[in-house]
Amino acid sequence: MSLENWWPPELTEPNNSILGVIDARGADWSGKIIKIPNLQKARLCRANLQGADLSGCNLDDSDLKLARYDSKTIWPTGFNYQKSGAIGPGAKLNAVFLSGADLRGMDFRGASCMGTYLSGANLSGAILDGVRLISADLRCAQMQGAMCRGASFTGSQLNQADFRGADLSDAALDGAESIEGADFSFATGMENIASELLRRPYKELDCWNPLTRSTTRASLEQHLKDYDGKS
């Protein structure tokens, strides 16, 4: 490869002046009309496609792993973007490896996340309403301010997960495999679940979270104190 002709893939612009296989890994194409008709075998992993118009593109055999999209992204007719490896509403992410991924503010509504590997992932502010995170690995995941209304965590590993400020209204947490070291401080929607979670083994409840400097028990008991004070 000639370094003289090398161009950082994240700076690739969506125009038709590029010849050969497109390498736009990590590029920000959000809100743009993509004017490259031939994106066959294109390298688009980690690209930001939120609000992008790809309707006139051929995406056959393109690499879309970890590419971001949203409800405003326009895809080519008939393209199965939900199974492409891209992340967004309705994505099929069962058993997909997303450990350590930066997923802040992402919209996962309608996505399938059963058995998904999300350990250490940053899901701060993400929208996970109604998502089935059954048997998912969420150890050390950052969930601060995430919207998890009606989400199911049955069988999930929540060890050291940071749920501070998350909305857990109607979330199914009682069936989680472990909440050891998880922090639920300032989370909302805990009225009906805090006391239930406090019945779990002391090994889970009295585990210290090194990031938030709180135990799971302390974060849950604070909710009971707040409710007693309001009653």
Side-chain angles (χ1 to χ4, degrees), residues 12 20-25 29 34 36-45 47 54 57-65:
T12 300
V21 175
I22 305 298
D23 187 352
R25 290 170 292 175
W29 289 0
I34 312 306
I36 309 174
N38 185 14
L39 284 174
Q40 284 184 293
K41 300 182 180 180
R43 300 166 186 166
L44 299 172
C45 55
L54 295 141
C57 304
N58 183 347
L59 290 166
D60 290 347
D61 299 319
S62 58
D63 182 3
L64 286 159
K65 293 184 181 69

Side-chain angles (χ1 to χ4, degrees), residues 166-231:
D167 188 343
L168 293 163
S169 302
D170 300 317
L173 287 162
D174 52 336
E177 180 178 312
S178 175
I179 61 169
E180 182 177 330
D183 193 333
F184 298 96
S185 301
F186 311 111
T188 57
M190 298 291 291
E191 296 88 345
N192 300 320
I193 193 63
S195 58
E196 182 67 27
L197 294 178
L198 282 166
R199 297 175 185 173
R200 297 182 74 106
Y202 74 90
K203 181 181 179 182
E204 296 183 31
L205 297 174
D206 295 325
C207 182
W208 180 262
N209 187 307
L211 176 64
T212 67
R213 298 181 178 275
S214 176
T215 64
T216 302
R217 186 187 300 277
S219 71
L220 291 170
E221 287 181 339
Q222 185 59 53
H223 288 287
L224 299 184
K225 292 178 183 177
D226 292 340
Y227 302 145
D228 288 342
K230 294 177 182 178
S231 58

Side-chain angles (χ1 to χ4, degrees), residues 69 80-98 103 107-118 127-136 152 156:
Y69 68 90
N80 193 351
Y81 62 90
Q82 294 177 322
K83 292 185 177 181
S84 67
I87 300 170
K92 308 301 181 184
L93 302 171
N94 294 338
V96 172
F97 188 86
L98 297 174
L103 303 170
D107 186 352
F108 284 88
R109 284 175 293 186
S112 299
C113 296
M114 297 176 65
T116 306
Y117 296 91
L118 290 159
I127 305 176
L128 293 153
D129 293 341
V131 175
R132 301 179 70 195
L133 291 149
I134 296 173
S135 299
S152 175
S156 293

